[in-house]
Amino acid sequence: MTHRIGLRREDKNIWERRVALTPDAVKRLLDQGIEIEVERFDRRCFEDELYEQVDAALTDDPRGCEIILGIKEVPVGWFREGGAYFFFSHTIKGQSYNMGMLKDMMDKGCTLMDYECVTNDAGLRLIFFSKHAGRVGMMDSLWTLGQRLKVLGHANPLEDVEPAHKYKDLDAVKAAVKAAGDRIRSEGMPKAAGPVVIALTGGGNVAAGAREVFDQLPFEDVEPAELDAWLAANQDTTDKVAMVHLLPDHFVKPKDDAKTFDFDHYVANPDDYEADFARWLPKITMLVHGVYWDDRYPVLATHAQFAELFENGGPK
């Protein structure tokens, strides 16, 4: 089993097409003398034949390999005794829905290497959400908005947009959003939806990727401090959407009113801060959230706040 890596197919979701190693990456490993077994999978974004072409071995069961590489969680019962596995386990925050999987690994004496825990000497993660996460998040959010308006009885230019996994590549995604944008210019968004405001949070890779897709639409950038004025002046605007970009200082504030927001202090001392996010909810149509969060930080919006929002008629 020495120096054999098994590349597992992704089976958590029926739409999953991702893979942990591209054929080029597999070739580089093979050139270093590392054996690779690739589990056959007809839905993967890279066809099985592309792995065969670089001399990887195809298999129906890679579990005999020393190390298994994947992306999403692995089903309970799939692990072998003493095996080693590298994937996003989604357990480090104590996610209850994956405790059965973690127990199965512990009972079998497995080694879990979680991508989220790979850090440099400074403790910074080396494997993290990229621009792709933002691109997919924006595309799926636009699809959801189009379907929501359609279900509410409002024909709209976004209703023909599909979720990201339906498209072959990024160019196809951008083309679809641009086509929807052309319809927004010519037909307009439904007046019943009010002026459409899309909020994007964060300033990292996720936000940059989301913006890359969003920019195919007709839009106007609106500073957070100017949003109320923009809404008042654009109640009948349908041929474009507004983008309001919210950074942490827009939705988190010090508990001590005498102090001002300081990002580095916030990251190091989150208990000194509280959320100020709910004030934006009545003003926005759609939120694409690109900010890292764990339970050290304030909960940005509560169930009670959302319930109050919809009791009062929903956003805007």
Side-chain angles (χ1 to χ4, degrees):
M1 287 196 305
T2 303
H3 295 139
R4 263 200 306 159
I5 293 176
L7 193 57
R8 187 177 180 277
R9 69 184 180 91
E10 298 299 319
D11 55 6
K12 180 178 179 180
N13 300 308
I14 61 171
W15 57 81
E16 187 63 73
R17 302 177 63 226
R18 291 177 295 175
V19 64
L21 293 173
T22 66
D24 286 345
V26 166
K27 184 179 186 307
R28 291 197 297 272
L29 291 171
L30 290 168
D31 289 344
Q32 296 178 48
I34 299 173
E35 297 179 32
I36 306 289
E37 291 188 7
V38 178
E39 187 174 8
R40 292 183 177 88
F41 191 36
D42 60 7
R43 201 170 63 241
R44 187 185 288 122
C45 59
F46 297 103
E47 296 176 353
D48 291 344
E49 290 76 12
L50 296 176
Y51 291 96
E52 279 190 308
Q53 289 173 14
V54 298
D55 296 327
L58 295 183
T59 180
D60 292 320
D61 189 352
R63 281 177 284 186
C65 295
E66 183 180 16
I67 297 175
I68 300 293
L69 289 185
I71 296 178
K72 301 295 286 185
E73 299 96 320
V74 176
V76 173
W78 197 87
F79 305 101
R80 66 170 176 80
E81 295 283 341
Y85 303 87
F86 216 143
F87 60 98
F88 284 110
S89 73
H90 298 135
T91 59
I92 65 172
K93 297 177 185 176
Q95 291 95 319
S96 59
Y97 55 89
N98 283 329
M99 290 300 102
M101 177 193 70
L102 188 60
K103 184 178 186 302
D104 189 25
M105 297 188 77
M106 294 172 67
D107 289 345
K108 293 178 178 175
C110 297
T111 297
L112 169 61
M113 296 166 281
D114 194 309
Y115 296 123
E116 288 190 80
C117 299
V118 178
T119 60
N120 62 16
D121 292 340
L124 299 176
R125 285 177 58 181
L126 298 178
I127 303 173
F128 44 79
F129 282 127
S130 67
K131 289 183 179 180
H132 296 305
R135 292 162 180 157
V136 170
M138 179 60 74
M139 191 62 179
D140 285 358
S141 297
L142 292 173
W143 165 68
T144 301
L145 176 59
Q147 294 305 302
R148 180 177 186 272
L149 292 173
K150 182 179 178 181
V151 167
L152 292 174
H154 308 309
N156 69 92
L158 294 175
E159 64 182 54
D160 293 330
V161 168
E162 296 189 286
H165 72 272
K166 294 284 189 178
Y167 296 97
K168 178 182 179 181
D169 53 29
L170 181 59
D171 287 340
V173 165
K174 289 182 177 180
V177 177
K178 184 179 184 302
D182 291 340
R183 287 186 59 191
I184 291 174
R185 289 186 185 92
S186 61
E187 303 171 21
M189 291 293 285
K191 286 188 176 181
V196 174
V197 177
I198 295 178
L200 174 64
T201 62
N205 288 319
V206 175
R211 188 68 201 237
E212 189 177 346
V213 171
F214 171 83
D215 283 352
Q216 310 307 308
L217 298 175
F219 66 88
E220 181 177 347
D221 279 308
V222 180
E223 291 296 323
E226 302 297 324
L227 182 56
D228 287 339
W230 189 91
L231 286 169
N234 287 273
Q235 284 301 301
D236 296 324
T237 296
T238 62
D239 62 351
K240 62 183 176 181
V241 301
M243 162 60 75
V244 58
H245 195 164
L246 303 175
L247 296 175
D249 61 302
H250 297 122
F251 52 81
V252 176
K253 63 181 181 180
K255 292 179 179 178
D256 185 346
D257 292 338
K259 296 182 178 180
T260 58
F261 180 87
D262 179 275
F263 181 76
D264 291 335
H265 186 266
Y266 167 59
V267 171
N269 303 277
D271 288 340
D272 292 343
Y273 293 80
E274 61 186 6
D276 189 27
F277 193 85
R279 65 190 175 102
W280 299 105
L281 296 178
K283 305 172 185 179
I284 62 177
T285 311
M286 185 181 93
L287 170 66
V288 178
H289 195 41
V291 173
Y292 174 80
W293 184 90
D294 63 38
D295 58 10
R296 294 174 298 165
Y297 299 101
V299 173
L300 296 183
T302 65
H303 290 289
Q305 288 169 334
F306 279 109
E308 181 181 358
L309 175 68
F310 284 93
E311 285 172 2
N312 294 329
K316 297 197 301 296

